[in-house]
Amino acid sequence: MRHGLFFILLLFVMHSAYCQSNSIVGEWHFVKVESTNEMSEGKRMMMTKIFGDMKLVLNEDRSFSSRITRKAEQGTYAINDNVIEMESFEGYIVSYPYVFQDNDTLKLEMKENEYIVLGRATSDSEVFENVEKKSIDYVKIDSSMLLDKKWLFEKKIIVSQEGDSTQLSGRLFEDDYFIFNPDGSFDGIKLKVNVSGSWRLNEDQSRLIQEFEEGDSVQLIWYVVFLSSETLVLKRGQLDEKWYYKME
């Protein structure tokens, strides 16, 4: 009898651990836009722009916090038949059918067959999703090459899925710059707004992580594609964009 009770208890513990490890509870970051419908490159890029900084934290107590386009929300959520319903403390209610895959991928259906794909964040707040990724060429850098220089925005190049490239520059970005200080802080201008915050490199020194001091903290993770004494080229996550900066 005692052996039987022990076996039942062991099964209960194993089942609880399995459910916990296969739960949507956790921190999720944007990965990409996915659709089984025909979607124009322009619409895909627009949705990527809107949701590119998306962060969603789902807690065990059914509370949530989120950030989309730098707007922070908090509230409660419920799950019913593979639909997640979120009610913000401001009184807004949204609901999305969702698909949960491999414990590391969460897809929210924004419209029929159009998904925002989220990946479970690691302790470094970076996402290593189990969905197919494009390979990214990047370099390991010496942080001293970034320091005490005024990096001025030069141009931004967007590559479409067909391989066509578009160069963006002009008034919107013309004043943008960053200065990376030795104490781990940075200052600059982004989209005509003064910005500041902290910066660091990840463990293998291939990614530059910026955290902005703008109310709810905004974190950007850049792959360093090229760095010299006069040129800095950055690529953000899985976006087909390259940002070119030059030293003043």
Side-chain angles (χ1 to χ4, degrees), residues 53-98:
D53 70 340
M54 183 175 178
K55 172 183 175 182
L56 175 63
V57 179
L58 301 173
N59 301 308
E60 291 185 1
D61 63 0
R62 288 295 189 255
S63 65
F64 80 88
S65 61
S66 68
R67 182 191 70 229
I68 302 176
T69 60
R70 301 189 179 182
K71 178 176 174 57
E73 295 276 4
Q74 290 184 316
T76 59
Y77 73 94
I79 295 176
N80 297 297
D81 298 326
N82 289 331
V83 174
I84 181 168
E85 181 178 278
M86 292 180 282
E87 180 174 355
S88 74
F89 292 147
E90 297 180 5
Y92 299 106
I93 299 177
V94 294
S95 60
Y96 305 106
Y98 74 89

Side-chain angles (χ1 to χ4, degrees), residues 153-200:
F153 173 83
E154 183 178 11
K155 61 185 176 181
K156 174 182 175 182
I157 294 180
I158 301 175
V159 180
S160 71
Q161 288 188 333
E162 289 76 26
D164 301 321
S165 62
T166 303
Q167 180 173 321
L168 298 181
S169 57
R171 295 180 180 178
L172 185 62
F173 305 106
E174 64 185 359
D175 298 324
D176 282 19
Y177 74 87
F178 289 118
I179 298 175
F180 298 98
N181 303 310
D183 64 358
S185 65
F186 72 85
D187 305 282
I189 291 179
K190 187 171 180 63
L191 298 177
K192 308 293 185 182
V193 177
N194 290 316
V195 294
S196 61
S198 61
W199 71 277
R200 61 187 173 87

Side-chain angles (χ1 to χ4, degrees), residues 2-241:
R2 292 176 61 186
H3 290 295
L5 288 174
F6 176 78
F7 181 70
I8 293 172
L9 179 61
L10 180 61
L11 285 177
F12 175 77
V13 171
M14 290 174 65
H15 175 72
S16 298
Y18 174 81
C19 291
Q20 205 167 35
S21 66
N22 288 271
S23 167
I24 67 170
V25 168
E27 181 176 327
W28 302 90
H29 288 227
F30 175 83
V31 173
K32 66 177 182 178
V33 175
E34 186 175 274
S35 176
T36 57
N37 300 331
E38 184 176 348
M39 179 182 288
S40 70
E41 187 64 24
K43 182 177 181 180
R44 188 182 299 276
M45 289 174 61
M46 180 187 71
M47 291 182 67
T48 300
K49 288 289 186 185
I50 293 172
F51 295 100
D53 70 340
M54 183 175 178
K55 172 183 175 182
L56 175 63
V57 179
L58 301 173
N59 301 308
E60 291 185 1
D61 63 0
R62 288 295 189 255
S63 65
F64 80 88
S65 61
S66 68
R67 182 191 70 229
I68 302 176
T69 60
R70 301 189 179 182
K71 178 176 174 57
E73 295 276 4
Q74 290 184 316
T76 59
Y77 73 94
I79 295 176
N80 297 297
D81 298 326
N82 289 331
V83 174
I84 181 168
E85 181 178 278
M86 292 180 282
E87 180 174 355
S88 74
F89 292 147
E90 297 180 5
Y92 299 106
I93 299 177
V94 294
S95 60
Y96 305 106
Y98 74 89
V99 178
F100 185 50
Q101 294 180 337
D102 303 323
N103 198 41
D104 290 317
T105 302
L106 178 63
K107 298 181 180 181
L108 301 180
E109 190 172 21
M110 313 304 285
K111 292 176 63 176
E112 187 175 1
N113 298 321
E114 291 184 3
Y115 298 89
I116 299 299
V117 181
L118 306 177
R120 190 183 295 278
T122 68
S123 58
D124 213 13
S125 295
E126 295 177 63
V127 179
F128 296 95
E129 67 280 0
N130 288 330
V131 297
E132 183 179 355
K133 299 193 297 186
K134 298 177 182 177
S135 62
I136 298 177
D137 296 324
Y138 57 85
V139 296
K140 296 183 180 181
I141 65 173
D142 179 356
S143 61
S144 65
M145 295 178 67
L146 288 171
L147 298 178
D148 296 327
K149 297 176 182 178
K150 188 173 183 178
W151 295 100
L152 301 174
F153 173 83
E154 183 178 11
K155 61 185 176 181
K156 174 182 175 182
I157 294 180
I158 301 175
V159 180
S160 71
Q161 288 188 333
E162 289 76 26
D164 301 321
S165 62
T166 303
Q167 180 173 321
L168 298 181
S169 57
R171 295 180 180 178
L172 185 62
F173 305 106
E174 64 185 359
D175 298 324
D176 282 19
Y177 74 87
F178 289 118
I179 298 175
F180 298 98
N181 303 310
D183 64 358
S185 65
F186 72 85
D187 305 282
I189 291 179
K190 187 171 180 63
L191 298 177
K192 308 293 185 182
V193 177
N194 290 316
V195 294
S196 61
S198 61
W199 71 277
R200 61 187 173 87
L201 300 179
N202 70 327
E203 291 182 1
D204 69 0
Q205 296 187 308
S206 64
R207 274 157 284 196
L208 172 65
I209 302 169
Q210 285 181 293
E211 187 138 359
F212 291 76
E213 295 174 354
E214 298 177 353
D216 179 50
S217 67
V218 177
Q219 190 176 79
L220 294 181
I221 300 174
W222 303 94
Y223 288 86
V224 182
V225 178
F226 179 80
L227 175 63
S228 70
S229 59
E230 297 183 349
T231 303
L232 172 64
V233 183
L234 300 174
K235 179 178 171 70
R236 183 178 167 195
Q238 299 296 310
L239 302 183
D240 287 325
E241 303 175 351

